[in-house]
Amino acid sequence: MSTASFLPAASRARRRPGLRRLAAWLAANACDPRAGLWLVIGFAAAHAVLWTLILINLKAAQDVHMDVAEAFAWGQKFQFGYGKHPPLSGWVAGLWFKVFPVADWATYALAMTTLGCGLVISWLIALRVVDRRRAFFVVVMLALYPIFNFKGFKYNADLLQLVTLPLVVLAYLNAFEKRSVKSGLWLGLAGALALMTKYWVLTMIGAIGLAALLHPDRLLFLRSPAPWVAIAILAVAMLPHLWWLREVDFVPLTYAGDVYGLSNRAQSIQLVLGYIGHNLALLAIPVALAALALAWRPLSWATLTRRPSAWFARNWSRGANTAVDLPQARNIWIIQAIVAVGPPLGGLFFTVYMKTDWGISLFFLTPLALAAIPALRMQKMALVHLAAIWLAITLAVLAASPWIAAKEMAINPNGAATYGARSELARELTLAWRARFHSRWAVVAGTTEMSEPLAFYSPDHPAPFTPGEVWSSGLTSLDEAKRLGFIGVCDTTDGRLPICEAWMKANGKDAEQLTITTQRFFKGRPGPAITWKVFIVPPAR
């Protein structure tokens, strides 16, 4: 035998045992009761750090999203509600920015930390349904789901649901299994925490209630104290927020009806179809990559030609599967089916403006629902393959992220909403206020898209006030704005400019009027030059 033919075979022989050792190490740690937790925490932390770095690069030419700036503003004043939503997302942002600086990178770190916590909680859920090998596989699938990376760049109430809703599901599975007073207590508290995030979580809470009623073992659960204790604790825990709702005349419900109510049935159908297509497309990515990881194995071309199904044959087998807890798997299947079908049907029936982002929190159980199929068999190498796919994609995107950011700006250089330099305007207005009044800038008035970013980027972090908004956040008021003085800003690219100017002139009769133009440059590329009409209203004497 020649040396030329011998060396490749030796190389392959050395490589295969190395991969087997890696697979054995990963499977052993994933299956170990002690090491498994640290493996998942380490994976979630690595995912959060790497994607924070990616987002810093991807969004370098942009200011933070309006939702992020809004959550920051809410967190400057702890209340039991903020006009549009319950308070938890604002509380979390407030606590976060007491520790971290008010900077773009910290917002992306907050978003990824939120998702990292969601990954760990989802693993704890999976442990109650499948074995540890499958549970770790589920976590890596979630990390490949775009909601947990690309689409998870903006921290808001929708994203925070990826912590609070998994907590509700985890508490329900625990209560369903233990059926004790204590488990009911935790379920009630988890439900209250979720409701304090966003009222949309009622879809998941309703799905859990239906799952309890439809499950074959429902009588065991319903005859126990757990569900009734949970309902009582939930009601008691929500009392402060319910009192706040009464005090503000239920303005969040007014907000939901005014903003998301539709009268056009055809438009509602179109939006529902868009919602379905959007979420199916996002889910297709982790499902396809997981299928590839499960099916991949060395096969000869002759085998593939004769029997293409050989890629998948070894992963399916009939018969009992001790890796799956069927009673708990049924809970997951029922819950996921209800939250997948219920909201689109509700959107059609009630003619609701269905936002694609509403699906962010509803499909974190899909990987587990698939991994819990009893006929599915999972080899050790599948963990290595999927983890390798995650690492390769993550590192590739990290390397390409500066180029992607520059390319996006080159494609849409005049996108005022995306590349408008509000951060620069905030700094200029802060200096202007301090130069005139030698005091902190306390209130900024303008549309939500305008005032929230200025509140974030100004070193004084003025309270945002939105003229004419029925569902006021409660952070300040018109009377307080007139007493402390305010800066009003109108965006000349906004179609609501005439309304904005009229309000400013009516409520700031002594205002000094300025015109300021800002423009951002990123890697030599100019962004849109935007002119802002500014009204500086002095404090009351």
Side-chain angles (χ1 to χ4, degrees):
M1 182 181 293
S2 68
T3 304
S5 64
F6 177 77
L7 286 178
S11 178
R12 288 195 299 271
R14 287 193 299 269
R15 190 163 57 245
R16 287 171 184 166
L19 287 175
R20 292 194 187 98
R21 282 195 295 270
L22 178 60
W25 177 87
L26 188 59
N29 280 272
C31 297
D32 186 88
R34 291 185 179 180
L37 174 61
W38 293 109
L39 176 66
V40 171
I41 291 174
F43 176 80
H47 180 80
V49 169
L50 288 170
W51 276 94
T52 297
L53 296 175
I54 289 169
L55 291 174
I56 291 170
N57 290 335
L58 284 178
K59 305 296 180 180
Q62 306 172 27
D63 290 336
V64 298
H65 192 275
M66 181 197 73
D67 287 359
V68 181
E70 183 176 60
F72 165 81
W74 290 350
Q76 301 307 293
K77 186 177 181 180
F78 283 60
Q79 302 177 157
F80 282 113
Y82 294 101
K84 294 191 292 188
H85 293 305
L88 190 61
S89 60
W91 292 355
V92 171
L95 293 172
W96 179 268
F97 286 107
K98 287 185 182 299
V99 177
F100 293 92
V102 183
D104 291 21
W105 69 264
T107 69
Y108 303 130
L110 172 58
M112 285 300 121
T113 300
T114 300
L115 294 174
C117 292
L119 289 176
V120 175
I121 299 168
S122 296
W123 176 76
L124 294 173
I125 293 171
L127 287 182
R128 293 184 174 272
V129 182
V130 295
D131 65 3
R132 290 178 175 272
R133 181 187 299 177
R134 292 176 185 238
F136 185 73
F137 193 86
V138 165
V139 170
V140 184
M141 275 187 74
L142 281 173
L144 290 165
Y145 182 29
I147 296 302
F148 281 79
N149 42 73
F150 278 111
K151 293 279 288 181
F153 72 93
K154 58 179 178 180
Y155 169 81
N156 57 15
D158 289 319
L159 200 73
L160 188 59
Q161 288 176 93
L162 287 171
V163 171
T164 55
L165 287 188
L167 282 174
V168 174
V169 174
L170 179 62
Y172 167 67
L173 296 181
N174 180 60
F176 192 87
E177 178 185 335
K178 295 182 178 177
R179 303 189 290 277
S180 64
V181 171
K182 185 177 180 180
S183 66
L185 170 66
W186 288 120
L187 178 56
L189 291 175
L193 197 68
L195 274 173
M196 291 287 277
T197 308
K198 193 174 182 179
Y199 303 131
W200 179 247
V201 305
L202 287 169
T203 55
M204 183 66 76
I205 291 176
I208 288 172
L210 287 173
L213 294 174
L214 295 173
H215 198 282
D217 298 333
R218 57 186 172 274
L219 291 180
L220 291 174
F221 181 62
L222 295 175
R223 287 172 179 169
S224 75
W228 315 112
V229 169
I231 293 171
I233 293 298
L234 173 62
V236 171
M238 289 300 295
L239 284 176
H241 179 67
L242 293 174
W243 180 263
W244 172 84
L245 273 175
R246 179 178 174 274
E247 290 290 302
V248 299
D249 199 24
F250 301 92
V251 290
L253 304 183
T254 303
Y255 162 75
D258 289 354
V259 175
Y260 298 113
L262 289 175
S263 57
N264 188 322
R265 177 71 63 179
Q267 185 183 8
S268 177
I269 293 172
Q270 185 178 7
L271 288 167
V272 167
L273 291 175
Y275 170 89
I276 294 171
H278 179 81
N279 286 290
L280 285 176
L282 293 179
L283 285 169
I285 295 172
V287 172
L289 293 175
L292 177 63
L294 286 165
W296 181 260
R297 60 170 173 165
L299 288 172
S300 67
W301 287 107
T303 303
L304 288 177
T305 303
R306 291 194 308 269
R307 193 163 55 93
S309 62
W311 280 104
F312 302 95
R314 69 171 181 167
N315 296 311
W316 300 95
S317 177
R318 296 180 180 178
N321 190 343
T322 58
V324 178
D325 184 329
L326 273 178
Q328 294 288 37
R330 289 190 185 100
N331 272 316
I332 297 299
W333 294 331
I334 295 170
I335 293 170
Q336 185 59 89
I338 292 171
V339 296
V341 175
L345 291 179
L348 288 174
F349 183 80
F350 294 106
T351 322
V352 173
Y353 188 104
M354 287 289 291
K355 289 181 64 178
T356 56
D357 279 358
W358 289 356
I360 283 176
S361 61
L362 297 184
F363 296 98
F364 69 91
L365 290 174
T366 301
L368 176 56
L370 296 174
I373 297 173
L376 178 66
R377 298 299 189 263
M378 189 174 294
Q379 307 296 322
K380 290 181 180 179
M381 286 303 297
L383 294 179
V384 177
H385 292 154
L386 195 62
I389 290 170
W390 166 82
L391 183 61
I393 291 174
T394 302
L395 294 180
V397 176
L398 178 60
S401 54
W403 177 84
I404 294 172
K407 189 68 174 177
E408 284 183 343
M409 189 171 185
I411 293 172
N412 185 29
N414 296 316
T418 304
Y419 298 112
R422 291 169 176 79
S423 54
E424 295 178 13
L425 178 64
R427 288 186 282 270
E428 286 194 35
L429 294 180
T430 304
L431 293 174
W433 181 272
R434 290 178 179 178
R436 286 162 176 77
F437 307 113
H438 307 288
S439 63
R440 173 183 170 270
W441 175 20
V443 179
V444 55
T447 62
T448 303
E449 297 87 348
M450 191 71 253
S451 60
E452 306 290 359
L454 295 181
F456 179 86
Y457 282 108
S458 168
D460 289 342
H461 306 306
F465 178 78
T466 304
E469 188 176 61
V470 177
W471 43 86
S472 170
S473 64
L475 298 175
T476 188
S477 64
L478 180 57
D479 289 340
E480 187 175 62
K482 290 181 176 180
R483 179 175 62 84
L484 298 175
F486 65 90
I487 296 180
V489 183
C490 298
D491 182 355
T492 59
T493 66
D494 193 324
R496 295 165 290 181
L497 177 62
I499 298 173
C500 181
E501 287 185 297
W503 188 93
M504 296 297 174
K505 291 174 181 177
N507 292 277
K509 295 179 181 179
D510 299 326
E512 175 187 355
Q513 297 187 33
L514 302 174
T515 299
I516 298 176
T517 300
T518 61
Q519 186 175 27
R520 168 182 280 110
F521 290 84
F522 178 69
K523 295 189 175 181
R525 295 182 182 275
I530 301 178
T531 299
W532 318 92
K533 292 193 173 183
V534 177
F535 300 79
I536 302 179
V537 180
R541 293 183 175 83

